[in-house]
Amino acid sequence: MIEFKTGVEGKYRVQLADKDGNIHTDTGFVDNDLLDNFFEDYKRGFDQPNNSFQYLGTALRIGTGTTPVNFSQTTLASQVASFSHSGINNTSEFYLDGTVGCMDWTWVATFSLGQIVANVTELGMCWRLGHSENLNSTNRVHSRVVLPTAVNVTADDQLIVTYKLTARGLEQGNSGTIVLDGTTHNWTANRGTDIWSSIGTIRNNLLQPNTNETQCSLRSGAVVLGGFGVAVSGGSATVESATVTHTNGAVPGQQIRTYRWGINGANLAGGISSVVFPNGSKFLFDPPINKTNTKILDLTLSYTISRV
C-alpha cells in the first residue's frame, strides 16, 4: 500500500479599517483549531459524495464567547453574527516548502462600515456539506479560535476577517517501495496538472470518487515524471479502466482506495513505468510493474488528513 499523510492547519486574521479604508487594528494571523467534525465531515464526503465538502460553500461565524477551544465543539460559544459564502472571496496557491508540497486556501470576508458592532473574541469557519444546505440555518463550525486579545468593533469600523487553511504534505517528491508479486518496486509521486481551487479538493482531488475515477493513464518505457503542473512524458501511453473500491481507514481522516486491473487490463509491453490517477496523482515505478494476462494488479493508495 502506498501511503500519504497530509497535515492541515488554519489561521485567522482580524483587521479594522476606518471610513477611508485605513487599517488601524491588525491582529496578524492567529492559529486556530480544526474541530473533530472537520475530519468527520471530510470522511462523510467519501461515504456520501453528493453531501460533502466537494460542493463549496463557506460561512464565517463571529462571536463574543471566551470558552477555551475543545476539539469536540461544533459551534461558537456565543455567536453574534454570520457572513455567508456569497460574500467571501477565496483564492488558492500551490507551492513547495523545500520538497514538501503545500496548498494555501485564503478566504477574506469584508463587512460594511458599522455592519458589525461587537467586542469580538471568537471566530469560526463552516463549510457547506451539500448543494442544498443553507449555512444561515445552522450555527455549525468546522474550526474555531479564541483571540488572544478581544477586538472591539465600533460603528465607525469596517471589520475584515481573513482565514487561511494550509494543507502540507501533498505528494511532491514523495517516494517509497511496494512489493508486487515478490518484486520490490521503488515509487516516486508528484502532483499532476490539476488545479487546486477550493476546500472541496482536499476531498475531491486527493481521492476522487466520481464516475471518471476509473480511467487511469498508464505508460511503459522510458518515462519522465515531471514536476507540479508538468505532464508525464516519454514512453508509450494508454488509458486503462480500473475497478475501484473504497474503504474508510482505521484512523480518523484516513481513506483507502484500491485500483484493480484484471487479467485483460493494463498488460503493457515492457511493464508499467508510470500511472496517472484521475485525481492528478502521478507515480513512477522502478523497475516497471510486470503486468501480464495471467495476473491481477491491485494498487492501493492510503491518504490520511490530520492536524499539523
Side-chain angles (χ1 to χ4, degrees):
M1 183 164 62
I2 297 173
E3 296 184 275
F4 294 101
K5 295 183 179 180
T6 297
V8 287
E9 60 182 346
K11 298 177 184 293
Y12 287 91
R13 182 183 190 181
V14 179
Q15 297 171 297
L16 297 182
D18 61 23
K19 62 182 178 60
D20 298 317
N22 300 310
I23 302 294
H24 63 80
T25 300
D26 190 338
T27 64
F29 279 102
V30 179
D31 291 341
N32 88 282
D33 289 303
L34 291 167
L35 304 175
D36 287 342
N37 67 351
F38 176 95
F39 302 96
E40 292 166 1
D41 287 337
Y42 160 82
K43 185 173 182 178
R44 173 184 172 188
F46 286 88
D47 300 329
Q48 305 173 42
N50 291 326
N51 194 22
S52 68
F53 281 159
Q54 180 180 8
Y55 301 111
L56 174 65
T58 54
L60 169 70
R61 318 295 194 190
I62 298 171
T64 57
T66 57
T67 303
V69 174
N70 183 295
F71 290 154
S72 65
Q73 294 166 347
T74 58
T75 65
L76 296 185
S78 181
Q79 179 175 312
V80 296
S82 180
F83 198 55
S84 69
H85 66 279
S86 60
I88 300 177
N89 295 320
N90 81 317
T91 58
S92 59
E93 177 189 12
F94 179 90
Y95 58 94
L96 291 178
D97 182 0
T99 59
V100 178
C102 302
M103 189 74 198
D104 284 346
W105 294 269
T106 302
W107 291 265
V108 180
T110 303
F111 293 84
S112 301
L113 191 72
Q115 182 178 351
I116 301 295
V117 177
N119 193 44
V120 176
T121 57
E122 59 175 339
L123 299 164
M125 280 287 286
C126 171
W127 287 274
R128 187 168 61 188
L129 302 183
H131 279 311
S132 61
E133 184 182 30
N134 181 356
L135 287 176
N136 294 323
S137 67
T138 173
N139 291 333
R140 185 188 67 249
V141 292
H142 289 110
S143 69
R144 178 174 179 255
V145 67
V146 176
L147 298 173
T149 302
V151 177
N152 186 32
V153 188
T154 72
D156 296 322
D157 294 320
Q158 180 181 38
L159 175 64
I160 304 167
V161 179
T162 301
Y163 182 69
K164 179 181 289 186
L165 183 70
T166 298
R168 297 180 53 84
L170 307 178
E171 61 268 43
Q172 190 70 20
N174 295 75
S175 61
T177 61
I178 57 170
V179 178
L180 298 170
D181 198 25
T183 300
T184 299
H185 300 269
N186 300 301
W187 60 265
T188 304
N190 277 353
R191 287 305 308 165
T193 56
D194 57 337
I195 299 173
W196 292 59
S197 60
S198 70
I199 181 61
T201 56
I202 284 186
R203 185 197 69 83
N204 198 36
N205 279 356
L206 284 183
L207 291 172
Q208 188 176 21
N210 61 36
T211 57
N212 298 319
E213 69 178 354
T214 64
Q215 300 296 312
C216 299
S217 175
L218 281 60
R219 287 179 183 259
S220 60
V223 173
V224 178
L225 190 60
F228 179 79
V230 179
V232 174
S233 61
S236 177
T238 184
V239 174
E240 292 278 354
S241 179
T243 300
V244 186
T245 57
H246 160 259
T247 57
N248 291 318
V251 299
Q254 183 186 30
Q255 309 297 328
I256 299 172
R257 189 158 288 266
T258 299
Y259 291 77
R260 167 169 287 192
W261 289 272
I263 58 174
N264 295 319
N267 299 320
L268 277 62
I272 301 170
S273 299
S274 71
V275 177
V276 180
F277 292 96
N279 63 11
S281 304
K282 52 184 182 177
F283 292 82
L284 186 69
F285 296 98
D286 181 26
I289 299 170
N290 182 26
K291 169 70 173 68
T292 69
N293 61 7
T294 64
K295 300 175 181 177
I296 294 172
L297 172 62
D298 285 344
L299 286 179
T300 300
L301 309 181
S302 166
Y303 286 91
T304 303
I305 183 170
S306 59
R307 298 179 183 92
V308 170

